[in-house]
Every structure is written in structure tokens, then in C-alpha cells.
Amino acid sequence: MEIILSPSLLAADFGILKEQITEVEKAGAKYLHLDVMDGIFVSNISFGIPVIEALRKYTNMVFDVHLMITEPQRYIERFIDAGADIVTFHIEATDKIDECINIIRNRGKRAGIAISPNTPAEALYPYLDKIDMALCMTVEPGYGGQKYMPEMESKVTALRERVDKDFLIQVDGGIGEANVLAPVNAGANVIVAGTAVFGGNITENVKGILEKCAQL
Ligand code: DX5
Ligand code: ZN
């Protein structure tokens, strides 16, 4: 199974974003994870549509947009206009789940649904045949640099049993070279890493994580 690394820009140096994304791309990352926070669904505020639109010009990486915003159906179209290739919204953030999926898919983009640590995997089961990716948070959403929660791995396993091998199962939070094999062995194939990529030597960090996954 191919393992994709999606570095989370949240941990990058925001003063030199263009240089930082060029470096992760050259080092071999295929996706770029873009964490959008509204100060309501999560207490933190990160960045939004204009930043994504500006970065789109500088890279061909897959823009993997993780919306941590309430009522995401209000903004999905605009994130797609800005350059999102995958749009992931939180199941806890809206009652209009089918509407969100339809907006994304009608624009020919890939749809993902995220579950926070307190949400069971079962919440996603009714949607698995309508989406491209399930995102299992391995920390509470809102901040980078938190501690990985291994107890989330059973949710990844339960999801993997219900989908085929091409379906994307993403894990996000507290992951780096030292612990990446645990969620991968559980069935994850898209790995988000923020601090573990942008803290220190970016090229070495990306290669280290990808080489670790290639050992499998
Ligand atoms: C948390 C975000 C994550 C975060 C991961 O709300 O969804 O993508 O940036 O950062 P690390 O890898 O540092 O835990
Ligand atoms: Zn994220």
C-alpha cells in the first residue's frame, strides 16, 4: 500500500511559506495539509482562503484542506475556488453532511470527513461509500504539537475493514518518524505531520518519515 505524507503547514514558518512548501515538495511529499480554523469549532484561528489561493501558484502538490470550521457548507465552494483538491470537514461541525459531500463531489474534488477523538468510527459508516477519505484525529483538533493518542488506532482498523485498499484513511496529530508505523499498521495510508516535518531540517524529516513507511 502506498503511504502518502501530507505535511501540515500549521507548523511551518509563516514568514516564508513559499520556500517551505517548495522544500517539502522537493523532499518527496505528495500532499500539503492545510488546517483551517475559525475560532468557533476550535478555539484557535489559523489561516484561510486568501493564503491557500496565494500558495496555489507555487506548487502542484495535492492541496489537502482540513476544515475545522462550523457549518462548513457555507465556505466549501470558496475553498475549492482557492485551489483545494481534497476538502475534509468535521462530522461534528454540521448537520448537512450530504450537502457538504455533494458540493465537493459536484465540483469534481475529493471529499473527506473527519472525526475528533470523542467521535466513534461508527459515525462515519453511513458515508463511507460516498466519500474518498476518512480522517481520524489522533489529537484534539485545534493545535499542532500535541501528544499522539494511540487509542485512536482501533478506529483506523475498524474503518479499514469496511473500505477497499484505495480508500484514503488519514491520521492527524502527534505523528513523526518515531511512531508513524503504528497508525500505518492499523490501516492508515495518509499521514499528516506538522511539527515532525517543519521542526528542524525539513528535507531530512520528510525523507525520514517516508523511508520509515517504505520499510513495510
Ligand atoms: C490539529 C491539526 C493538525 C496539526 C498536526 O488541529 O489538524 O493537522 O497541525 O500537527 P502535529 O503534527 O504537530 O501534531
Ligand atoms: Zn489537520
Side-chain angles (χ1 to χ4, degrees), residues 6-11 33-37 42 44 66 68 90 135 137-148 171-176 192-197:
S6 191
S8 166
L9 203 64
L10 197 61
H33 187 81
L34 297 153
D35 286 302
V36 177
M37 304 178 184
V42 291
N44 201 8
H66 177 193
M68 285 163 274
H90 270 262
L135 165 50
M137 291 302 299
T138 47
V139 297
E140 284 297 338
Y143 295 89
Q146 302 181 76
K147 198 171 169 306
Y148 176 74
V171 281
D172 181 7
I175 300 168
V192 177
T195 310
V197 166

Side-chain angles (χ1 to χ4, degrees), residues 37-64:
M37 304 178 184
D38 66 353
I40 298 172
F41 179 69
V42 291
S43 59
N44 201 8
I45 296 178
S46 57
F47 54 81
I49 295 158
V51 172
I52 294 172
E53 196 172 17
L55 294 175
R56 186 69 281 181
K57 298 192 278 291
Y58 300 117
T59 175
N60 290 319
M61 273 187 288
V62 170
F63 273 12
D64 161 33

Side-chain angles (χ1 to χ4, degrees), residues 150-161:
E151 58 281 22
M152 298 299 126
E153 286 158 20
S154 58
K155 295 202 273 187
V156 173
T157 305
L159 288 165
R160 182 53 74 196
E161 280 169 7

